Amino acid sequence: MNRYDLLPDDLPKYWYNIIPDLPEPLPPPKEPKTSPSRIEFLKRVLVGECFKQEMSNERWIPIPDELRELYIQAGRPRPLYRALRLERRLKLEKVRIYYKREDLSPTGSHKVNTALAQAYFAAKEDKEILVTETGAGQWGTALSYGARLMDLNCVVFWVRSVYDWKIDRRTFMHLYGSTVYASPSKITRVGREILSKNPNHPGSLGIAISEGLEYASEHEGAVYCLGSVLNHVLIHQSIIGLETMKQFELADDKPDLIVACLGGGSNFGGISLPFMGEVLKGKLECKFLAAQSEAAPNLIKGEYRYDFGDVAEYSPLLKMYTLGHKVEMIPIKADGLRYHAAAPIISLLRHHGLIDAVAYPTDERAVFEAAKIFVESEGWIPAPESSYAIRAAIDKALEFERKGEEKVICINISGHGFLDLPAYREILSLP
Ligand SMILES: *Cc1c(COP(=O)(O)O)cnc(C)c1O
């Protein structure tokens, strides 16, 4: 069989929070030396339930029934495929490859898993406006979708260099009725200050976060939503791994290696952490590999220390592998992987040697060539970000095969590449 499906009824009823199972307590968020209190600020701007989950030590967090219906509406549970055709193409005899289909999402990425949760809880708390930042545009689209389904307004600050370039994604957000600003914008103090020094500033994720936080804190009924890094986002994304575990039972198989791309860590954490929990309990032997870009190799070149999550220092200090919150990163097509730090949970597990990482060059040739092999064999077009995971999985599969090791690899396909065809055209020199 090449496909393992769950029924809507099999959709998990709880998210998994790995925090109580970590090898040591997660270092708590800290206040910087300068006032005001960043933790109080975060508490004020986040959805209440999300802030509660952010601080939670509960292992299992219930998914409300109405939200489970929204997940089903969005196409969950998503299938797990056995990559039989890719295996044949790579001439694998010892190695089996599976992939989880987060690309089968209304907006094209795994980010809808947390977008729907945040929109749902915001609506329950009578909020009216969801505010956020977006880099590649995936998160802005996902939150726009979540907001629309819950009848909320959505305001997106989008890194200007990408806003100018990804016209189709911009239309996608407008189709859901969102208000979208190119960041830095004239709408906020942070934006105006940056524009006064450089009117052509291309923007960055950090600046967009700062603008969104300022906007949310100054508008009645507005909350700020984050698409990665924070604990509650990883909790929502655990639905990916929980489904995948059930699907491996259906396949009567077990993964030896889970591979996902990693920018801030939400799709990597989503598929990995439920399996990691079993590893920590000694019930499963499995390794985890994060595929990164040399533009932002936070797990590889970063230092494990307290740092801000955003360039304007609105966020509390979080203990993470970080390249520094003011670092400049080279633009790449897989823009979603450009983040200066990895989620605190992922960073702690990396610090304990439980996560491996690899980074690929910024010309992205190797990555798009892997994507092409995947398209030619499996027929599905992955997002540039997901293609990093495919590259890493192919490299590992060939290495295992050479050594004659029988192994099972599971890839998370975090998104599809339908709106990234210009990138495919450019990097692969297609007509
Ligand atoms: C946002 C995004 C990523 C990177 O973010 P993580 O939080 O590291 O998962 C990867 N793939 C896709 C398709 C994305 O949209």
Side-chain angles (χ1 to χ4, degrees), residues 260-281:
C261 63
L262 191 143
S266 72
N267 90 87
F268 179 89
I271 189 148
S272 298
L273 297 181
F275 289 96
M276 183 73 80
E278 298 292 291
V279 169
L280 292 170
K281 283 179 217 131

Side-chain angles (χ1 to χ4, degrees), residues 109-111 138 228 261-267 336-337 383 385-386 414-415:
S109 85
H110 71 288
K111 290 194 174 78
Q138 302 266 24
S228 186
C261 63
L262 191 143
S266 72
N267 90 87
L337 300 185
E385 290 85 358
S386 318
S414 56

Side-chain angles (χ1 to χ4, degrees), residues 49 101 127 131 186 322:
E49 183 62 28
R101 303 291 313 275
K127 302 296 182 190
V131 185
K186 293 195 176 128
T322 175

Side-chain angles (χ1 to χ4, degrees), residues 215-321:
Y215 185 97
S217 68
E218 291 180 0
H219 286 79
E220 189 63 27
V223 283
Y224 192 77
C225 299
L226 281 144
S228 186
V229 177
L230 293 189
N231 301 343
H232 67 274
V233 176
L234 271 61
I235 289 172
H236 301 155
Q237 293 295 355
S238 70
I239 191 133
I240 304 172
L242 293 166
E243 283 180 10
T244 308
M245 280 178 115
K246 291 192 189 191
Q247 289 162 317
F248 267 102
E249 277 170 32
L250 289 179
D252 195 20
D253 212 345
K254 278 194 170 110
D256 297 296
L257 177 68
I258 292 177
V259 187
C261 63
L262 191 143
S266 72
N267 90 87
F268 179 89
I271 189 148
S272 298
L273 297 181
F275 289 96
M276 183 73 80
E278 298 292 291
V279 169
L280 292 170
K281 283 179 217 131
K283 289 191 189 159
L284 175 74
E285 271 188 52
C286 182
K287 297 212 181 302
F288 304 89
L289 176 62
Q292 301 207 283
S293 164
E294 280 178 2
N298 50 47
L299 287 180
I300 297 165
K301 300 256 172 79
E303 284 176 56
Y304 189 43
R305 63 172 170 87
Y306 274 96
D307 194 10
F308 291 101
D310 67 309
V311 70
E313 309 183 348
Y314 279 94
S315 76
L317 295 167
L318 303 171
K319 194 158 184 195
M320 314 181 275
Y321 275 95

